[in-house]
Amino acid sequence: MTSPLLPTFARAELSFEKGEGPWLYGRDGERYLDFGAGIAVNALGHAHPHLVKALSEQASKIWHSSNLFQIPEGERLAQRLVDNTFADFVFFANSGAEANEAAIKMARRYHYVNGNPERFHIVTFEGAFHGRTLGTIAAGGQAKYLEGFGPKVQGFDQVPVEDLEALKAVIGPQTAALMIEPIQGEGGVRSVSPAFLRELRALCDSQGLLLIFDEIQTGVGRTGKLFAYEWSGVTPDIMTVAKGIGGGFPLGACLATAEAGKGLTLGTHGTTFGGNPLAMAVGNAVLDVILEPGFLESVERKGLLLKQRLAELKDRHPNVIAEVRGQGLMMGLRTVVPNTEFVNAAREQKLIVIGAGDNVVRLLPPLIITEADLGEAIDRLDAACTAIEAEQKNASQPGAIQ
Ligand SMILES: *Cc1c(COP(=O)(O)O)cnc(C)c1O
């Protein structure tokens, strides 16, 4: 059947009619354990009672009023983000890419108002993913996302992660900022070392550059801290957040210190939908749960358990799993077989996992996952590995019936 949707996604032959916690109910009558969480979005799983209540209560009051008026729910969410981070100000948007656009514009304006309009270049890192707008594909620098979309937006220079010499060589009088994901998500759950992040901070301080962390995937508790930068002790000047902050409702945010944000004055940036009462009510409800005492500690504990169980799985299946990576509940398996084959084998076991770059399979369970359900996922991954090994054995036997 042809679909009226533009065919920009390779969609699986599967759709879901409802979800509950970490479980998804397919229209195929099967129940799936969701270790994709809508690409790290459903941080509190599906149909979380507190989120459902917040959304429905707000829905019967006011959805949208525009930013021409005060939005107390947004003031509150921004204040809570400020209270729990390095930031002084928040700009709300509807997606990750938009949050990054705000960050890029903010960094350029900062130098502009400082009297240095020539400083508009941002250094980004190989393997990065920052979104799909014209600006953010230039920032991400991946040829496959840039091809055919006309001249690349100017002002992005890219170097390999952990390559301090290359970084120093590319920084010049035109450089405005460095932009990095503390753990690359789409790029394959690749952690950046705290030592390298400290080098970035030192370079920014000595050269008057702004440090931008893209925490769209790593943020909002995913790694066991509210934001991943807390692990390194390195504080950015600007940080972008999306995915988990809305728990499934489209919501993005750009956080900044007062100094870094000083260029975005009245009328210099805007949004129609960003920060509307409905989104803000849901964002506040997400924070209610994540900021509850003990919640982040439980994510950290479950992350350690998952990592240990995955390491055992790798030892049992060295022909399938090459490496275990990640932190907290953002884990990656670099597979020996094509990662797409692994994703399909997991789905056969009714477990949803997600591919990433570098032949990695991402495991991004909702943060409310129980230890019992982590064990269930390990059993299903084990079964998927066994099925892949059986295939391998079959294929290696001459004359085997396929
Ligand atoms: C998903 C993601 C984005 C883009 O977010 P969208 O909401 O799809 O625009 C940007 N940066 C990172 C690190 C992401 O994981």
Side-chain angles (χ1 to χ4, degrees):
M1 203 185 74
T2 60
S3 165
L5 296 172
L6 267 174
T8 54
F9 291 99
R11 298 171 197 270
E13 286 292 326
L14 177 59
S15 68
F16 303 106
E17 55 185 348
K18 71 170 194 165
E20 201 182 306
W23 296 96
L24 280 168
Y25 294 81
R27 288 199 171 78
D28 58 357
E30 301 280 358
R31 189 173 82 138
Y32 293 81
L33 187 52
D34 184 10
F35 268 49
I39 321 184
V41 166
N42 303 105
L44 303 183
H46 301 278
H48 190 288
H50 187 63
L51 300 199
V52 172
K53 184 163 175 281
L55 181 87
S56 30
E57 281 182 6
Q58 187 62 42
S60 60
K61 291 183 197 160
I62 181 166
W63 297 14
H64 179 83
S65 61
S66 90
N67 288 298
L68 301 175
F69 301 95
Q70 305 281 325
I71 301 175
E73 300 85 350
E75 300 275 342
R76 175 159 178 259
L77 180 56
Q79 188 62 52
R80 295 170 86 189
L81 289 170
V82 163
D83 289 344
N84 286 283
T85 64
F86 69 95
D88 301 309
F89 288 114
V90 182
F91 178 87
F92 289 115
N94 311 288
S95 66
E98 273 180 280
N100 280 340
E101 288 280 339
I104 293 163
K105 288 177 73 176
M106 184 183 281
R108 290 184 173 191
R109 275 289 291 195
Y110 170 80
H111 292 287
Y112 174 84
V113 300
N114 278 346
N116 302 307
E118 74 287 357
R119 296 184 79 165
F120 67 91
H121 278 241
I122 296 178
V123 182
T124 63
F125 294 85
E126 285 176 10
F129 182 78
H130 297 300
R132 296 295 202 108
T133 59
L134 285 171
T136 55
I137 56 175
Q142 300 213 29
K144 64 179 175 184
Y145 296 146
L146 285 159
E147 190 190 351
F149 293 114
K152 183 179 154 189
V153 172
Q154 275 185 45
F156 295 96
D157 305 309
Q158 197 159 61
V159 297
V161 184
E162 310 280 348
D163 189 339
L164 196 57
E165 291 317 307
L167 176 59
K168 284 180 178 161
V170 85
I171 292 175
Q174 77 290 357
T175 308
L178 314 180
M179 181 171 181
I180 195 164
E181 300 154 79
I183 303 173
Q184 288 188 342
E186 308 296 312
V189 193
R190 291 195 293 187
S191 300
V192 179
S193 71
F196 190 65
L197 294 177
R198 280 194 292 274
E199 297 281 8
L200 298 188
R201 182 70 266 174
L203 273 173
C204 285
D205 292 344
S206 66
Q207 317 255 344
L209 311 175
L210 297 174
L211 183 58
I212 307 172
F213 283 170
D214 178 343
E215 290 234 25
I216 288 166
Q217 197 158 149
T218 51
V220 197
R222 180 54 55 191
T223 68
K225 298 272 188 207
L226 187 57
F227 292 101
Y229 76 82
E230 297 169 42
W231 289 110
S232 67
V234 175
T235 302
D237 302 294
I238 302 174
M239 178 173 76
T240 53
V241 182
K243 295 203 164 98
I245 186 72
F249 197 92
L251 173 54
C254 176
L255 280 63
T257 63
E259 174 67 9
K262 72 182 183 187
L264 288 189
T265 49
L266 184 64
T268 55
H269 193 49
T271 167
T272 298
F273 292 117
N276 83 12
L278 204 49
M280 297 296 95
V282 179
N284 274 307
V286 169
L287 281 195
D288 289 343
V289 177
I290 297 213
L291 294 177
E292 247 168 47
F295 186 88
L296 290 167
E297 290 79 358
S298 85
V299 172
E300 186 183 351
R301 196 175 58 243
K302 290 181 290 191
L304 288 171
L305 175 70
L306 179 61
K307 192 168 203 167
Q308 185 194 339
R309 301 292 310 272
L310 291 172
E312 292 162 12
L313 194 71
K314 169 184 167 285
D315 290 345
R316 278 202 298 282
H317 303 283
N319 295 328
V320 181
I321 300 171
E323 189 191 337
V324 178
R325 316 171 160 173
Q327 185 152 20
L329 292 175
M330 180 174 182
M331 298 302 299
L333 302 175
R334 192 163 59 80
T335 54
V336 179
V337 296
N339 60 351
T340 47
E341 192 181 315
F342 192 101
V343 169
N344 291 336
R347 198 186 308 133
E348 287 291 313
Q349 304 301 326
K350 315 296 175 232
L351 176 72
I352 306 290
V353 294
I354 304 182
D358 208 20
N359 206 42
V360 162
V361 173
R362 271 178 291 178
L363 309 178
L364 305 163
L367 309 182
I368 47 92
I369 193 84
T370 62
E371 293 190 6
D373 286 337
L374 284 179
E376 181 61 39
I378 294 290
D379 291 346
R380 293 178 188 211
L381 288 168
D382 207 352
C385 290
T386 303
I388 290 169
E389 284 158 354
E391 286 280 322
Q392 286 171 337
K393 207 167 157 207
N394 228 354
S396 70
Q397 274 167 13
I401 299 158
Q402 292 294 312

